[in-house]
Every structure is written in C-alpha cells, then in structure tokens.
Amino acid sequence: MSQTNVLVLVGSLRAGSVNRQLAETAVSAAPEGATLTVFEGLADVPFYNEDIDVEGASIPAVDALRAAASDADAFLLVTPEYNGTIPAVLKNAIDWISRPYGVGAVKDKAVAVISASPSGNGAKWAHEDTTKAVRIAGGKVVEDTALSIGGTGALFGELHPRENAEVLAQVSKVVSDLVDASKQLVNA
C-alpha cells in the first residue's frame, strides 16, 4: 500500500495561532500510511498575478508551493476567519495551485477544511468561502468531514488543541476521512 501525502495549508501566518496548532494536531494525528506536511512558505508567495505567472518564469516561493501541491495526494486547509471570510494568504495559495486553470495541482484531489475562531461562529463563513474557492479550483471537497471550532479561547485557554481529547478525536477523524477519500479517488 502506498503512502498518502497530505499537504496542509494554514490561513494564519502567526506562529502561535490556534489554526497553526490545529494543523500541528492534524500532523500528529496522521494514520498509518499517511504523511501530513505543513507548507511553511505561504508568507513568501506573491499575490497571484497573471502577468508574472507566465511560462518560463521562476518565482521560488511559487515553485515550492506548486511542487509541494503537485506531490500531494490530498489537501487539508486550516483557516481562521478574517472580517467574515477567508484570509488572503490562503485564498492566494488556492489561486496559485489552481493554475493553469483546469489542470492545476489541486484538480481532482481530496480536500478537507478545518476552521476555528474565538467567536462562537467557528469561522463558518471562512470555512464556506474556502470550500467554495477550492471546489471552483477543481478540488474534491470531502463534505462529511467538515470541522468548525468556535470559542477557541475558552475551549483551549493556554493548552495546545491536541491536549483536548474531544478536539483531538475530531481532528483525527477529519484526517482519517480525508486519507480515505484520497484513496477512493485514486482507485476510482
């Protein structure tokens, strides 16, 4: 059985963000036969612009993102909510990996979304917008495995999310379902 490689993209650039910690929790919850890797270079990726996305152009941060996305069998997108929507850094990453349109690295690959915020809303609007953007980009969103976590301040306090047994179980299920969906797409 081959290894399933999942690329994790985090919509918060802050090192100590809850969303970064949820991505770390997902990495630690990887089932046997799966490897999750958090992409670390989103802050260096320029805003998508067709004038610079031309054949022969080499933009190191974009090249690294696209290479990681091409090597991925599936994607886990972990997002906070900024002003009621998806953070620009995550939307930008989706834009880059969706090009060229119709054959980008995300096309026909399984995608799961985890959202979290201090509000009771659980970043559901960002979750919806992320799901919409990645679906339009060609990704196959695993609908039944969606996870939105609200009230993160009260829920975690000073603890890392992986120290909360319920959240760890929920994140583990998302990861497991994503890996299973990826295998089903490969075998379809």
Side-chain angles (χ1 to χ4, degrees), residues 2-7 31 33-36 71-76 106-112 140-142 145 174-188:
S2 65
Q3 188 77 2
T4 301
N5 295 312
V6 178
L7 183 63
T35 301
L36 278 73
D71 290 343
D73 300 305
F75 297 87
L76 177 61
V106 71
K107 179 143 176 66
D108 295 329
K109 293 181 182 177
V111 180
K140 301 293 182 186
V141 176
V142 184
T145 195
V174 168
V175 172
S176 179
D177 290 351
L178 175 61
V179 170
D180 290 346
S182 177
K183 290 177 182 176
Q184 289 174 6
L185 284 172
V186 169
N187 295 325

Side-chain angles (χ1 to χ4, degrees), residues 1-175:
M1 179 201 262
S2 65
Q3 188 77 2
T4 301
N5 295 312
V6 178
L7 183 63
V8 183
L9 301 177
V10 182
S12 175
L13 298 177
R14 195 168 55 82
S17 79
V18 166
N19 285 276
R20 162 67 65 174
Q21 292 175 348
L22 285 165
E24 294 166 355
T25 301
V27 169
S28 70
E32 188 173 328
T35 301
L36 278 73
T37 305
V38 176
F39 186 79
E40 298 294 348
L42 288 185
D44 300 322
V45 177
F47 282 112
Y48 185 79
N49 177 343
E50 285 186 19
D51 290 341
I52 63 174
D53 187 17
V54 295
E55 192 171 330
S58 179
I59 305 166
V62 171
D63 296 344
L65 173 61
R66 283 183 167 162
S70 291
D71 290 343
D73 300 305
F75 297 87
L76 177 61
L77 309 180
V78 185
T79 186
E81 188 166 270
Y82 292 171
N83 295 317
T85 192
I86 181 175
V89 68
L90 185 56
K91 175 64 168 69
N92 189 48
I94 294 169
D95 290 343
W96 278 107
I97 64 174
S98 73
R99 303 299 198 285
Y101 184 76
V103 294
V106 71
K107 179 143 176 66
D108 295 329
K109 293 181 182 177
V111 180
V113 179
I114 295 175
S115 63
S117 74
S119 80
N121 184 35
K124 288 181 183 172
W125 294 331
H127 194 283
E128 292 168 2
D129 289 348
T130 302
T131 300
K132 176 183 172 186
V134 78
R135 185 179 293 118
I136 290 170
K140 301 293 182 186
V141 176
V142 184
E143 295 292 343
D144 349 343
T145 195
L147 178 59
S148 293
I149 303 168
T152 56
L155 185 62
F156 302 127
E158 295 299 314
L159 299 177
H160 193 287
R162 72 175 155 251
E163 296 175 66
N164 180 302
E166 183 180 349
V167 170
L168 177 59
Q170 291 171 331
V171 171
S172 295
K173 182 174 180 351
V174 168
V175 172

